[in-house]
Amino acid sequence: MGHTHQHDAETKESCCTEEQKIRIQTDTHDCGCSSKKQKHTDHEGHDHSHNANESTFKMFLPSIISLVLLLIAIVLDNYFTPIWFRDWIRIAWYIVTYIPVGFPVIKEAIESIRYKDLFSEFLLMVIATVGAFAIGEYPEAVAVMLFYSVGEVFQALAVTKAKTNIKSLLDQRPDEVTILVGPDPKIIKASDATIGDVIQLKAGEKLGLDGELISDTASFNTAALTGESKPDTKSKGETVLAGMINLNKVSQVKVTAAYNDSKLSKILELVQNATAQKAPTELFIRKFAKIYTPIVVLLAVLITFLPYLFVADYAFSDWLYRALIFLVISCPCALVISIPLGYFGGIGAASKNGILFKGSNFLDAIATIQNVVMDKTGTMTEGVFKVQEVVFDPQFDEKEMLQMVNALESQSTHPVATAIHEYVGKIDTSIKLEKVEEIPGQGLKAIINGKSLLVGNFKLMDSFSIPYDINPNSIVYTVIAVAYDKKFVGYLTIADSIKEDAQITIEKLKALNVKTTMLSGDKNTVVQFVAQKLGIANAFGDLLPEDKVNKVKEIKAKNETVAFVGDGVNDAPVIALSNVGIAMGGLGSDAAIETADVVIQDDKPSKIAMAIDIGKQTKKIVWQNIVLAFVVKAAVLILGAGGLATMWEAVFADVGVALLAILNAVRIQRMKF
């Protein structure tokens, strides 16, 4: 459980031998290994994953073959009854029918025994179906195994991708960089770059290593690291990090850290370590089989031999027959089918509502969540900047000033300029701009009608000694100050707007008795403002990815379950660490989506509460099926042991209860959430 995978410079595992990979008690998805032995990394938790390229038809093919052969056999048995379909030919036909669905289960039973998991549900399925063959109930033997195989395929379909595929994160880090050798650019592997090399970064390119900006100024998209949509303008000498995207012009960066020591590499490591802390969740049938299977097998043996000591006219064949009927009745068909189908129904219901669960175990886990911890930008807010308010001195014509600001900002590609343009509208081409100048880290300056226009932050106002009578720190949002003709005009606030359903989300979570916490890399004043507006009691800003991880660890240390909702690469480590990781799938990064256990496809936060509700309803239906199966089977098992139950009762206890459970399981797909 405490094992941490180690990787070499090319991100390949260097720590695990084949034997170690087998013994590490983690989910197969976490290791990413492809060896055949890796299928049994968790011998007490069956792996339902399939090759990503394996088609659904191929997965169902063995079941389809067995079903066709079984239907033909039933028709020949009950309707046409040809002379040739008797004795060894009939037996051989049913054996051939059984093999496509039975052989994989027999193989799994042997593998389980090999790894000292003697009593698994695979063994019970083998004993039950072989028992049915032994008493001549060939159709029953095939049908039971067929139902089981279909249930297994349903479970496999629910797991669409490995939940912690590191490959998608590696896509965030470029394999090659362009370095300057003298005046000439040269493309090399990013891992071959050394400290002191100068990287030439074109507009739109992603930085491969951490470094120091040696160009005068550059604007970067930092979303891969901070999760925040606001670009960051850097000046000469400032630190820039791997994963940042250069936005507007060719820039030069001097490498200050090795490839494996970059901030992005540390995020990758955090994801891997956090994932290793997640124990695989066992489905109920697995735990149940540990007790149920040995008891049933022991009882069958006792039913066969124990009467010899107490019954005067003991006949071995009669008691063997009772024991075999007992085994057929005891087959957990209703559970084996209805439980995966119940979860599959829950997954289907969630999918209809734009929520993707990556496995049935997460439906169970989300039903018991006590804390929902969420990111701010892109999760509870839109992730797109908009003008929130305009506060201008009445002595200035607001419309006229906005047109001038819009004209000047049209000279910039900064998202703040885009937000202003969207707010003001069409640019007034009659406004003549002269001596347009961008002042790094401060804003823009121009001459209009012979008078200077300044648009930027309050540092720009200070630089030109423009007096103003407000405290910039008292304003929550990003502020764009405006001065004209050496007079302070006022300011615009630019901010990320709160999503329409964000507040109702918090209300629904409170109604479900779920505590809420907001964590963000954005400035703390903004985070506290949004939290107060939404009614979130606990909120923390100015956090780095590792800070978010520590906050979640603090909650988990109280033995409370945590679901984390995020959308950026920086959220991937904390998503992986939480009991249930939820990613926003619309605007969210590929890394967060890949690492998450649940993906909200339309980015609506209200789906968080809906996902919890679906989990609770699914769990309720699954437990209804478990109780139904137990009660009916217990009653018929007692009758079977006493010789009062015939194969008809056995069929009802097996197939009948299974059908009832299936009908109950599909009910969730008709529910409205």
Side-chain angles (χ1 to χ4, degrees):
M1 290 291 291
H3 177 80
T4 301
H5 294 296
Q6 297 173 356
H7 287 67
D8 60 23
E10 295 180 355
T11 70
K12 294 177 181 176
E13 284 182 12
S14 58
C15 60
C16 303
T17 63
E18 287 299 304
E19 189 63 29
Q20 285 173 322
K21 287 175 184 174
I22 294 171
R23 290 181 180 175
I24 295 167
Q25 185 79 6
T26 56
D27 193 292
T28 47
H29 304 171
D30 292 357
C31 191
C33 308
S34 58
S35 67
K36 290 181 180 178
K37 289 183 180 180
Q38 182 62 15
K39 285 186 178 180
H40 289 272
T41 47
D42 176 23
H43 310 304
E44 297 176 2
H46 182 49
D47 178 21
H48 293 281
S49 63
H50 284 251
N51 189 305
N53 296 320
E54 188 175 2
S55 68
T56 304
F57 176 76
K58 189 176 178 182
M59 292 167 66
F60 275 108
L61 187 58
S63 300
I64 293 170
I65 292 170
S66 287
L67 177 62
V68 171
L69 292 174
L70 178 61
L71 291 174
I72 293 171
I74 290 172
V75 169
L76 293 175
D77 261 341
N78 298 285
Y79 297 98
F80 296 104
T81 61
I83 297 173
W84 60 269
F85 193 67
R86 294 180 184 176
D87 303 326
W88 68 268
I89 294 177
R90 181 171 179 265
I91 295 172
W93 184 287
Y94 278 110
I95 290 174
V96 170
T97 305
Y98 178 86
I99 288 172
V101 289
F103 178 73
V105 179
I106 293 171
K107 186 179 175 184
E108 290 283 1
I110 294 170
E111 286 288 307
S112 296
I113 293 169
R114 225 179 112 202
Y115 290 107
K116 300 178 182 178
D117 181 18
L118 181 60
F119 293 107
S120 64
E121 84 269 22
F122 307 119
L123 180 64
L124 183 58
M125 291 302 302
V126 172
I127 294 174
T129 51
V130 169
F133 264 101
I135 59 174
E137 292 295 332
Y138 311 127
E140 175 73 7
V142 176
V144 166
M145 191 61 80
L146 176 61
F147 290 157
Y148 178 78
S149 297
V150 171
E152 283 287 284
V153 175
F154 280 153
Q155 180 70 2
L157 289 173
V159 185
T160 56
K161 289 181 180 179
K163 67 180 184 299
T164 50
N165 189 342
I166 305 300
K167 185 179 178 181
S168 66
L169 274 175
L170 297 179
D171 291 341
Q172 295 291 333
R173 183 171 53 181
D175 297 325
E176 297 177 332
V177 292
T178 302
I179 65 168
L180 293 177
V181 182
D184 302 318
K186 180 184 177 183
I187 297 174
I188 64 169
K189 285 185 178 180
S191 56
D192 292 341
T194 57
I195 294 173
D197 283 345
V198 175
I199 296 175
Q200 180 175 280
L201 200 64
K202 296 177 183 176
E205 281 189 335
K206 190 176 294 182
L207 185 60
L209 298 95
D210 291 355
E212 176 187 320
L213 185 67
I214 56 178
S215 298
D216 290 335
T217 182
S219 187
F220 293 91
N221 179 343
T222 64
L225 286 161
T226 65
E228 305 303 321
S229 54
K230 180 183 176 182
D232 193 358
T233 300
K234 298 287 186 181
S235 300
K236 186 174 182 177
E238 288 193 80
T239 299
V240 286
L241 303 174
M244 290 184 175
I245 300 171
N246 188 21
L247 289 178
N248 44 27
K249 59 183 178 181
V250 177
S251 304
Q252 294 179 359
V253 176
K254 184 170 74 174
V255 177
T256 57
Y259 184 70
N260 288 334
D261 294 330
S262 69
K263 178 69 73 174
L264 190 58
S265 292
K266 292 184 184 301
I267 289 178
L268 302 182
E269 187 180 350
L270 278 171
V271 173
Q272 191 164 297
N273 291 341
T275 301
Q277 295 178 52
K278 297 183 77 170
T281 305
E282 290 184 324
L283 290 175
F284 170 80
I285 189 66
R286 174 74 54 176
K287 297 175 181 177
F288 160 69
K290 283 182 172 296
I291 302 170
Y292 180 79
T293 309
I295 289 175
V296 164
V297 173
L298 177 61
L299 288 175
V301 172
L302 292 176
I303 289 170
T304 305
F305 297 105
L306 196 60
Y308 176 78
L309 302 175
F310 304 101
V311 179
D313 56 346
Y314 172 81
F316 174 76
S317 59
D318 291 343
W319 287 99
L320 175 62
Y321 179 79
R322 291 188 187 188
L324 293 176
I325 288 179
F326 179 85
L327 281 175
V328 172
I329 298 168
S330 67
C331 175
C333 187
L335 293 173
V336 166
I337 297 174
S338 66
I339 291 177
L341 196 58
Y343 285 114
F344 191 70
I347 290 169
S351 297
K352 287 180 183 177
N353 288 283
I355 305 166
L356 173 63
F357 281 86
K358 291 189 176 181
S360 57
N361 50 338
F362 301 119
L363 277 163
D364 254 354
I366 205 168
T368 58
I369 286 298
Q370 297 165 285
N371 295 270
V372 168
V373 179
M374 62 204 74
D375 183 36
K376 179 184 73 67
T377 307
T379 301
M380 303 306 286
T381 61
E382 297 288 353
V384 179
F385 281 97
K386 293 180 181 178
V387 173
Q388 299 297 309
E389 58 180 344
V390 177
V391 181
F392 283 176
D393 191 307
Q395 67 175 299
F396 294 94
D397 185 307
E398 182 177 307
K399 187 175 180 182
E400 183 184 353
M401 289 308 308
L402 283 174
Q403 287 293 348
M404 286 194 280
V405 169
N406 194 26
L408 179 55
E409 287 289 351
S410 68
Q411 305 297 305
S412 172
T413 57
H414 198 285
V416 166
T418 305
I420 291 173
H421 175 64
E422 287 181 357
Y423 180 78
V424 178
K426 190 176 179 181
I427 295 167
D428 186 348
T429 54
S430 66
I431 297 173
K432 303 300 179 184
L433 300 170
E434 299 174 32
K435 298 182 181 179
V436 176
E437 181 185 351
E438 181 174 356
I439 300 168
Q442 295 186 15
L444 297 167
K445 176 191 175 188
I447 302 296
I448 299 177
N449 300 327
K451 299 173 183 178
S452 66
L453 174 68
L454 302 173
V455 179
N457 55 31
F458 279 90
K459 289 180 185 177
L460 183 66
M461 301 295 110
D462 295 335
S463 296
F464 286 86
S465 302
I466 304 296
Y468 50 87
D469 57 357
I470 63 168
N471 178 11
N473 295 325
S474 66
I475 303 170
V476 173
Y477 297 130
T478 300
V479 183
I480 306 301
V482 180
Y484 184 59
D485 193 19
K486 298 182 180 181
K487 295 176 184 175
F488 181 66
V489 175
Y491 62 88
L492 300 87
T493 57
I494 309 289
D496 199 2
S497 57
I498 296 172
K499 290 183 179 179
E500 287 182 10
D501 59 342
Q503 191 158 0
I504 196 170
T505 299
I506 304 304
E507 291 170 2
K508 285 181 177 178
L509 289 171
K510 286 180 180 177
L512 289 167
N513 248 353
V514 176
K515 290 176 274 188
T516 55
T517 302
M518 181 183 287
L519 306 178
S520 179
D522 205 352
K523 71 176 186 177
N524 194 49
T525 52
V526 176
V527 175
Q528 297 301 332
F529 176 78
V530 173
Q532 186 178 3
K533 202 165 183 180
L534 295 178
I536 299 172
N538 301 311
F540 305 90
D542 298 315
L543 300 178
L544 294 172
E546 51 264 43
D547 298 327
K548 292 183 180 181
V549 169
N550 291 331
K551 290 291 183 185
V552 170
K553 281 183 177 178
E554 286 174 18
I555 298 173
K556 292 188 75 175
K558 301 174 186 175
N559 291 321
E560 294 184 6
T561 53
V562 180
F564 183 85
V565 193
D567 71 316
V569 176
N570 65 302
D571 295 325
V574 69
I575 284 175
L577 174 65
S578 58
N579 298 95
V580 178
I582 305 174
M584 291 294 178
L587 296 174
S589 75
D590 291 340
I593 292 167
E594 192 69 29
T595 308
D597 308 313
V598 182
V599 178
I600 296 175
Q601 295 169 308
D602 57 7
D603 283 349
K604 291 184 178 179
S606 57
K607 298 294 176 70
I608 301 167
M610 184 184 290
I612 294 173
D613 191 22
I614 290 172
K616 288 180 181 293
Q617 293 300 327
T618 302
K619 193 170 183 179
K620 186 188 296 183
I621 284 175
V622 166
W623 276 98
Q624 287 171 352
N625 285 345
I626 289 170
V627 172
L628 171 68
F630 275 170
V631 170
V632 174
K633 280 189 176 291
V636 183
L637 280 172
I638 294 169
L639 294 173
L644 300 175
T646 66
M647 190 53 67
W648 289 107
E649 282 80 9
V651 169
F652 172 75
D654 183 25
V655 181
V657 172
L659 290 173
L660 290 174
I662 288 169
L663 289 173
N664 189 40
V666 298
R667 187 166 56 89
I668 192 170
Q669 297 189 53
R670 298 193 188 95
M671 291 182 179
K672 291 184 179 180
F673 296 97

